[in-house]
């Protein structure tokens, strides 16, 4: 993702697989600094631990919001459900320069703590973070003040959802299909296809594994297809600062980035006080 267009968000990983041999290696020890990571599990589980002594497991419907801040070493090891299925998302949110070196912290949220609301037309929304339809998600104190929703719109239904005009917002479709229409002029993902015998970039209608970025506007409208449509709707306040990025370490300048890498190599990356 281009950081300016998605600011304050940096990366969205859709990790789904039904072949345990493909994912059992997991994500062994790796560093994080200068960002927050949001892990949302739909199927299977993820065991995690870090260099500060934290450890636990995330199950289906659970959320972990980790503020890496000044830095941690972390590992995540996925396990499939009884049918071998693993599915979840990890979103990276940037931290402003004033909080890059804040102390690390976790917010582990069990599935039952995430409020779900159902509208009269059958639309269901799980509210991970932020306010929506009179409910508030359980994740608190996140710098980008984001709204993170898991939305399901039933087959054939048309639904209009509010979006804050001063924020960057995107939708990521992960089940079913549909189309988005609103004043915000969303667009689908560009993919390569053969058109009249020639390779061309085609902007897809919105289906499974499609990401849609919204311009400024105060609402988005989605028309669900025959299977209905399920998507993440995420928005946050732009930070509008320079980004120096090296894997899971995100700072503001190359000098800060080089210092972080040097500390990682010489064993001083983790701050103890």
């Amino acid at each position: 993702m281009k950081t300016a267009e998605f600011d304050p968000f940096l990366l969205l990983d859709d990790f789904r697989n039904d072949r345990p041999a493909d994912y059992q290696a997991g994500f062994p020890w790796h560093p994080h600094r200068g960002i927050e990571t949001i892990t949302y599990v739909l199927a299977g589980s993820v065991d995690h631990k870090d260099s500060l002594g934290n450890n636990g497991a995330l199950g289906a419907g659970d959320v972990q919001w980790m503020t890496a801040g000044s830095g941690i070493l972390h590992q995540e090891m996925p396990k499939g459900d009884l049918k071998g299925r693993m599915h979840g998302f990890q979103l990276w949110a940037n931290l402003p320069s004033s909080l890059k070196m804040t102390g690390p912290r976790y917010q582990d949220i069990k599935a039952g703590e995430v409020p779900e609301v159902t509208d009269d037309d059958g639309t269901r929304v799980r509210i991970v973070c932020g306010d929506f339809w009179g409910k508030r998600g359980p994740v608190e104190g996140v710098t980008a003040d984001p709204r993170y929703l898991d939305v399901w719109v039933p087959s054939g239904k048309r639904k209009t959802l509010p979006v804050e005009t001063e924020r960057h917002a995107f939708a990521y479709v992960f089940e079913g299909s549909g189309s988005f229409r609103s004043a915000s002029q969303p667009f689908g993902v560009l993919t390569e296809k053969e058109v009249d015998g020639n390779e061309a970039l085609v902007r897809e209608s919105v289906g499974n594994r499609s990401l849609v970025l919204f311009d400024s506007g105060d609402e988005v409208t989605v028309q669900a297809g025959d299977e209905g449509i399920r998507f993440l709707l995420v928005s946050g306040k732009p930070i509008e600062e320079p980004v120096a990025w090296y894997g899971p370490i995100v700072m503001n300048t190359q000098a800060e980035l080089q210092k972080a890498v040097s500390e990682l190599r010489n064993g001083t990356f983790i701050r103890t006080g």
Side-chain angles (χ1 to χ4, degrees), residues 246 249 257-269:
Y246 179 74
I249 301 173
L257 197 58
Q258 289 166 5
K259 181 181 179 183
V261 173
S262 176
E263 290 176 350
L264 187 61
R265 288 172 178 165
N266 66 27
T268 61
F269 185 78

Side-chain angles (χ1 to χ4, degrees), residues 26-188:
F27 306 94
W29 291 104
H30 56 279
H32 285 287
R33 175 179 284 182
I35 62 174
E36 298 180 292
T37 66
I38 303 97
T39 305
Y40 178 33
V41 177
L42 295 180
S45 64
V46 178
D47 292 340
H48 65 89
K49 63 172 63 175
D50 68 26
S51 52
L52 302 178
N54 299 300
N55 65 83
L58 301 175
D62 293 350
V63 179
Q64 181 188 84
W65 204 295
M66 181 185 74
T67 303
S70 60
I72 65 166
L73 298 178
H74 189 242
Q75 74 169 7
E76 297 145 311
M77 308 304 287
K79 296 180 180 179
D81 63 14
L82 294 176
K83 295 183 178 180
R85 297 172 301 186
M86 180 71 226
H87 191 194
F89 306 98
Q90 188 169 92
L91 176 68
W92 292 7
N94 201 6
L95 283 169
S97 55
S98 60
L99 292 173
K100 289 287 188 191
M101 300 302 287
T102 191
R105 70 165 184 153
Y106 285 91
Q107 297 182 67
D108 285 333
I109 310 296
K110 292 299 182 184
E113 300 175 55
V114 179
E116 182 173 302
V117 289
T118 303
D119 209 1
D120 292 342
D121 64 358
T123 297
R124 298 192 308 270
V125 181
R126 295 193 81 218
I127 307 164
V128 174
C129 188
D131 292 302
F132 191 76
W133 286 350
K135 299 283 187 178
R136 184 164 184 84
V139 176
E140 296 287 353
V142 180
T143 304
D145 190 23
R147 176 183 285 168
Y148 189 119
L149 308 175
D150 175 353
V151 182
W152 164 255
V153 180
S155 171
K157 298 296 184 181
R158 184 181 178 94
K159 196 68 181 177
T160 297
L161 305 168
V163 175
E164 303 87 339
T165 55
E166 75 280 6
R167 302 183 180 206
H168 284 164
F170 69 86
Y172 180 75
V173 180
F174 60 95
E175 285 182 19
S177 64
S179 60
F180 288 84
R181 297 185 180 89
S182 75
S184 59
Q185 298 298 316
F187 58 86

Side-chain angles (χ1 to χ4, degrees), residues 16-24 80 83-86:
R16 69 172 93 177
N17 205 307
D18 58 6
R19 295 179 57 193
D22 291 343
Y23 59 76
Q24 282 179 336
K83 295 183 178 180
R85 297 172 301 186
M86 180 71 226

Side-chain angles (χ1 to χ4, degrees), residues 217-245:
D218 60 0
E219 62 182 28
V220 299
T221 299
V222 58
Q223 175 68 55
D226 292 342
E227 305 168 81
I229 186 170
R230 188 177 180 187
F231 57 95
L232 303 180
L233 181 59
V234 181
S235 64
K237 293 179 180 178
I239 296 174
E240 299 180 338
E241 292 181 352
V243 174
W245 191 347

